[in-house]
Amino acid sequence: PFDASRLAAFWMTSKRYDAHSLCKAARRHWDSVATLRPLEAYFAAIHNELGKQIVHDAAKRTLASIMTGVYAPSMEHCTAQAYDRLLDYHSECARAVSEELQCVSMYVADMATPPYRKPFERREGETAWAALAWLQGRLAKAFHDVADGARAPARILVDFEASVLLAAAARERKSSAQPDDSWNSVDFSTFVRIVLEVEGALRAGVESAISSVSVRGSVPRWRFCFRC
């Protein structure tokens, strides 16, 4: 596998000498490297002046992890301000995602409160209310986790994938010991429909919230001016 710092240096040198074929080759490998090691890619992109968009894309990829006690060798080549700006970016994204979680939670509450935004047939009623109450509980926990910094902003997209939600619901239903538990009356097809609808709304909202935030200002490299 490529090293982000070396690949960034190779890319910068190729750009400097207008070696277009080499630039294309470096760009082709960069996305996979930045996905595997986003933190290292972020600082390497700054140090090698790869451009504002490349820096932002790398920063966006770090949103899947919490920025506590993290380290990458490429950090040594940048100022503390570069790290501070990344922390600020994470904080702003966490705030935006938390607000979106609240919006989706209100949307779910509206689905379960008369007059219903989403009408359910009588036979679907118990399933709908059980599913919506369960989803609201998970949304509330996600909101507090993201707001408190216990959960990375982009991890919410994974937590609320339909497959993840359905697997979690199946585990809880299987472990339910009470015969009158609400899970016992759940109709699976109705539950899946609700989960897919909520997942779609949440994904669109969270992606939009994250896209609305950018790494603020220019990010200086070590001893040089990083020009965005």
PDB file of all heavy atoms in Angstrom, residues 10-27:
ATOM      1  N   PHE A  10       5.068  12.961  -4.130  1.00  0.00           N
ATOM      2  CA  PHE A  10       5.203  12.565  -5.541  1.00  0.00           C
ATOM      3  C   PHE A  10       4.221  13.342  -6.406  1.00  0.00           C
ATOM      4  O   PHE A  10       4.564  13.827  -7.493  1.00  0.00           O
ATOM      5  CB  PHE A  10       4.945  11.063  -5.655  1.00  0.00           C
ATOM      6  CG  PHE A  10       4.887  10.557  -7.071  1.00  0.00           C
ATOM      7  CD1 PHE A  10       6.058  10.315  -7.779  1.00  0.00           C
ATOM      8  CD2 PHE A  10       3.664  10.328  -7.694  1.00  0.00           C
ATOM      9  CE1 PHE A  10       6.002   9.850  -9.098  1.00  0.00           C
ATOM     10  CE2 PHE A  10       3.602   9.868  -8.995  1.00  0.00           C
ATOM     11  CZ  PHE A  10       4.781   9.624  -9.702  1.00  0.00           C
ATOM     12  N   TRP A  11       3.004  13.492  -5.920  1.00  0.00           N
ATOM     13  CA  TRP A  11       1.968  14.231  -6.658  1.00  0.00           C
ATOM     14  C   TRP A  11       2.365  15.699  -6.804  1.00  0.00           C
ATOM     15  O   TRP A  11       2.251  16.276  -7.893  1.00  0.00           O
ATOM     16  CB  TRP A  11       0.652  14.081  -5.921  1.00  0.00           C
ATOM     17  CG  TRP A  11      -0.550  14.558  -6.672  1.00  0.00           C
ATOM     18  CD1 TRP A  11      -0.593  15.115  -7.917  1.00  0.00           C
ATOM     19  CD2 TRP A  11      -1.901  14.500  -6.213  1.00  0.00           C
ATOM     20  NE1 TRP A  11      -1.880  15.410  -8.268  1.00  0.00           N
ATOM     21  CE2 TRP A  11      -2.702  15.047  -7.254  1.00  0.00           C
ATOM     22  CE3 TRP A  11      -2.515  14.050  -5.043  1.00  0.00           C
ATOM     23  CZ2 TRP A  11      -4.080  15.160  -7.144  1.00  0.00           C
ATOM     24  CZ3 TRP A  11      -3.895  14.151  -4.943  1.00  0.00           C
ATOM     25  CH2 TRP A  11      -4.665  14.704  -5.962  1.00  0.00           C
ATOM     26  N   MET A  12       2.846  16.299  -5.721  1.00  0.00           N
ATOM     27  CA  MET A  12       3.245  17.706  -5.764  1.00  0.00           C
ATOM     28  C   MET A  12       4.380  17.914  -6.769  1.00  0.00           C
ATOM     29  O   MET A  12       4.371  18.870  -7.563  1.00  0.00           O
ATOM     30  CB  MET A  12       3.702  18.167  -4.383  1.00  0.00           C
ATOM     31  CG  MET A  12       4.196  19.613  -4.352  1.00  0.00           C
ATOM     32  SD  MET A  12       4.978  20.056  -2.786  1.00  0.00           S
ATOM     33  CE  MET A  12       6.449  19.007  -2.849  1.00  0.00           C
ATOM     34  N   THR A  13       5.371  17.026  -6.753  1.00  0.00           N
ATOM     35  CA  THR A  13       6.501  17.138  -7.677  1.00  0.00           C
ATOM     36  C   THR A  13       6.036  16.974  -9.121  1.00  0.00           C
ATOM     37  O   THR A  13       6.494  17.701 -10.021  1.00  0.00           O
ATOM     38  CB  THR A  13       7.569  16.069  -7.349  1.00  0.00           C
ATOM     39  OG1 THR A  13       7.982  16.233  -5.997  1.00  0.00           O
ATOM     40  CG2 THR A  13       8.778  16.215  -8.262  1.00  0.00           C
ATOM     41  N   SER A  14       5.116  16.062  -9.348  1.00  0.00           N
ATOM     42  CA  SER A  14       4.591  15.841 -10.696  1.00  0.00           C
ATOM     43  C   SER A  14       3.857  17.085 -11.200  1.00  0.00           C
ATOM     44  O   SER A  14       3.974  17.465 -12.374  1.00  0.00           O
ATOM     45  CB  SER A  14       3.631  14.644 -10.693  1.00  0.00           C
ATOM     46  OG  SER A  14       4.299  13.479 -10.276  1.00  0.00           O
ATOM     47  N   LYS A  15       3.109  17.733 -10.314  1.00  0.00           N
ATOM     48  CA  LYS A  15       2.398  18.955 -10.679  1.00  0.00           C
ATOM     49  C   LYS A  15       3.385  20.081 -10.983  1.00  0.00           C
ATOM     50  O   LYS A  15       3.196  20.857 -11.918  1.00  0.00           O
ATOM     51  CB  LYS A  15       1.451  19.374  -9.551  1.00  0.00           C
ATOM     52  CG  LYS A  15       0.250  18.461  -9.383  1.00  0.00           C
ATOM     53  CD  LYS A  15      -0.538  18.777  -8.125  1.00  0.00           C
ATOM     54  CE  LYS A  15      -1.207  20.129  -8.205  1.00  0.00           C
ATOM     55  NZ  LYS A  15      -2.069  20.376  -7.009  1.00  0.00           N
ATOM     56  N   ARG A  16       4.435  20.152 -10.197  1.00  0.00           N
ATOM     57  CA  ARG A  16       5.415  21.232 -10.349  1.00  0.00           C
ATOM     58  C   ARG A  16       6.090  21.166 -11.709  1.00  0.00           C
ATOM     59  O   ARG A  16       6.390  22.203 -12.327  1.00  0.00           O
ATOM     60  CB  ARG A  16       6.451  21.128  -9.231  1.00  0.00           C
ATOM     61  CG  ARG A  16       7.532  22.208  -9.274  1.00  0.00           C
ATOM     62  CD  ARG A  16       8.455  22.082  -8.088  1.00  0.00           C
ATOM     63  NE  ARG A  16       7.742  22.301  -6.841  1.00  0.00           N
ATOM     64  CZ  ARG A  16       8.249  22.007  -5.641  1.00  0.00           C
ATOM     65  NH1 ARG A  16       9.458  21.471  -5.538  1.00  0.00           N
ATOM     66  NH2 ARG A  16       7.548  22.250  -4.552  1.00  0.00           N
ATOM     67  N   TYR A  17       6.324  19.952 -12.191  1.00  0.00           N
ATOM     68  CA  TYR A  17       7.019  19.775 -13.473  1.00  0.00           C
ATOM     69  C   TYR A  17       6.055  19.432 -14.611  1.00  0.00           C
ATOM     70  O   TYR A  17       6.494  18.985 -15.673  1.00  0.00           O
ATOM     71  CB  TYR A  17       8.095  18.694 -13.337  1.00  0.00           C
ATOM     72  CG  TYR A  17       9.239  19.114 -12.442  1.00  0.00           C
ATOM     73  CD1 TYR A  17       9.302  18.678 -11.121  1.00  0.00           C
ATOM     74  CD2 TYR A  17      10.224  19.994 -12.900  1.00  0.00           C
ATOM     75  CE1 TYR A  17      10.334  19.085 -10.284  1.00  0.00           C
ATOM     76  CE2 TYR A  17      11.261  20.408 -12.074  1.00  0.00           C
ATOM     77  CZ  TYR A  17      11.307  19.948 -10.762  1.00  0.00           C
ATOM     78  OH  TYR A  17      12.331  20.359  -9.936  1.00  0.00           O
ATOM     79  N   ASP A  18       4.766  19.643 -14.353  1.00  0.00           N
ATOM     80  CA  ASP A  18       3.741  19.430 -15.390  1.00  0.00           C
ATOM     81  C   ASP A  18       3.798  18.033 -15.991  1.00  0.00           C
ATOM     82  O   ASP A  18       3.599  17.852 -17.204  1.00  0.00           O
ATOM     83  CB  ASP A  18       3.866  20.481 -16.500  1.00  0.00           C
ATOM     84  CG  ASP A  18       3.551  21.882 -16.004  1.00  0.00           C
ATOM     85  OD1 ASP A  18       2.653  22.006 -15.146  1.00  0.00           O
ATOM     86  OD2 ASP A  18       4.194  22.846 -16.459  1.00  0.00           O
ATOM     87  N   ALA A  19       4.080  17.058 -15.151  1.00  0.00           N
ATOM     88  CA  ALA A  19       4.097  15.669 -15.604  1.00  0.00           C
ATOM     89  C   ALA A  19       2.675  15.122 -15.478  1.00  0.00           C
ATOM     90  O   ALA A  19       2.306  14.500 -14.476  1.00  0.00           O
ATOM     91  CB  ALA A  19       5.081  14.850 -14.784  1.00  0.00           C
ATOM     92  N   HIS A  20       1.876  15.377 -16.482  1.00  0.00           N
ATOM     93  CA  HIS A  20       0.440  15.111 -16.402  1.00  0.00           C
ATOM     94  C   HIS A  20       0.118  13.630 -16.201  1.00  0.00           C
ATOM     95  O   HIS A  20      -0.799  13.285 -15.448  1.00  0.00           O
ATOM     96  CB  HIS A  20      -0.247  15.633 -17.655  1.00  0.00           C
ATOM     97  CG  HIS A  20      -0.091  17.104 -17.861  1.00  0.00           C
ATOM     98  ND1 HIS A  20      -0.558  18.031 -16.957  1.00  0.00           N
ATOM     99  CD2 HIS A  20       0.510  17.822 -18.858  1.00  0.00           C
ATOM    100  CE1 HIS A  20      -0.280  19.252 -17.380  1.00  0.00           C
ATOM    101  NE2 HIS A  20       0.383  19.155 -18.526  1.00  0.00           N
ATOM    102  N   SER A  21       0.837  12.764 -16.881  1.00  0.00           N
ATOM    103  CA  SER A  21       0.552  11.333 -16.732  1.00  0.00           C
ATOM    104  C   SER A  21       0.852  10.863 -15.316  1.00  0.00           C
ATOM    105  O   SER A  21       0.130  10.030 -14.755  1.00  0.00           O
ATOM    106  CB  SER A  21       1.360  10.530 -17.747  1.00  0.00           C
ATOM    107  OG  SER A  21       2.757  10.721 -17.550  1.00  0.00           O
ATOM    108  N   LEU A  22       1.931  11.410 -14.727  1.00  0.00           N
ATOM    109  CA  LEU A  22       2.266  11.044 -13.351  1.00  0.00           C
ATOM    110  C   LEU A  22       1.249  11.627 -12.372  1.00  0.00           C
ATOM    111  O   LEU A  22       0.916  11.000 -11.355  1.00  0.00           O
ATOM    112  CB  LEU A  22       3.679  11.530 -13.013  1.00  0.00           C
ATOM    113  CG  LEU A  22       4.817  10.879 -13.802  1.00  0.00           C
ATOM    114  CD1 LEU A  22       6.164  11.452 -13.380  1.00  0.00           C
ATOM    115  CD2 LEU A  22       4.806   9.365 -13.600  1.00  0.00           C
ATOM    116  N   CYS A  23       0.757  12.829 -12.656  1.00  0.00           N
ATOM    117  CA  CYS A  23      -0.285  13.442 -11.818  1.00  0.00           C
ATOM    118  C   CYS A  23      -1.546  12.578 -11.818  1.00  0.00           C
ATOM    119  O   CYS A  23      -2.160  12.356 -10.771  1.00  0.00           O
ATOM    120  CB  CYS A  23      -0.618  14.840 -12.332  1.00  0.00           C
ATOM    121  SG  CYS A  23       0.545  16.120 -11.833  1.00  0.00           S
ATOM    122  N   LYS A  24      -1.914  12.100 -12.990  1.00  0.00           N
ATOM    123  CA  LYS A  24      -3.090  11.257 -13.098  1.00  0.00           C
ATOM    124  C   LYS A  24      -2.914   9.959 -12.320  1.00  0.00           C
ATOM    125  O   LYS A  24      -3.850   9.474 -11.665  1.00  0.00           O
ATOM    126  CB  LYS A  24      -3.392  10.957 -14.561  1.00  0.00           C
ATOM    127  CG  LYS A  24      -3.930  12.154 -15.342  1.00  0.00           C
ATOM    128  CD  LYS A  24      -4.234  11.769 -16.780  1.00  0.00           C
ATOM    129  CE  LYS A  24      -4.781  12.956 -17.555  1.00  0.00           C
ATOM    130  NZ  LYS A  24      -5.054  12.604 -18.987  1.00  0.00           N
ATOM    131  N   ALA A  25      -1.713   9.407 -12.387  1.00  0.00           N
ATOM    132  CA  ALA A  25      -1.440   8.168 -11.661  1.00  0.00           C
ATOM    133  C   ALA A  25      -1.523   8.392 -10.161  1.00  0.00           C
ATOM    134  O   ALA A  25      -2.095   7.582  -9.421  1.00  0.00           O
ATOM    135  CB  ALA A  25      -0.060   7.634 -12.045  1.00  0.00           C
ATOM    136  N   ALA A  26      -0.956   9.521  -9.694  1.00  0.00           N
ATOM    137  CA  ALA A  26      -1.000   9.843  -8.263  1.00  0.00           C
ATOM    138  C   ALA A  26      -2.438  10.074  -7.808  1.00  0.00           C
ATOM    139  O   ALA A  26      -2.850   9.596  -6.739  1.00  0.00           O
ATOM    140  CB  ALA A  26      -0.152  11.086  -7.990  1.00  0.00           C
ATOM    141  N   ARG A  27      -3.207  10.790  -8.630  1.00  0.00           N
ATOM    142  CA  ARG A  27      -4.605  11.072  -8.283  1.00  0.00           C
ATOM    143  C   ARG A  27      -5.427   9.796  -8.228  1.00  0.00           C
ATOM    144  O   ARG A  27      -6.327   9.659  -7.398  1.00  0.00           O
ATOM    145  CB  ARG A  27      -5.206  12.030  -9.322  1.00  0.00           C
ATOM    146  CG  ARG A  27      -6.627  12.478  -8.987  1.00  0.00           C
ATOM    147  CD  ARG A  27      -6.580  13.391  -7.781  1.00  0.00           C
ATOM    148  NE  ARG A  27      -7.894  13.866  -7.398  1.00  0.00           N
ATOM    149  CZ  ARG A  27      -8.707  13.242  -6.542  1.00  0.00           C
ATOM    150  NH1 ARG A  27      -8.333  12.091  -6.002  1.00  0.00           N
ATOM    151  NH2 ARG A  27      -9.856  13.767  -6.215  1.00  0.00           N
TER     152      ARG A  27
END
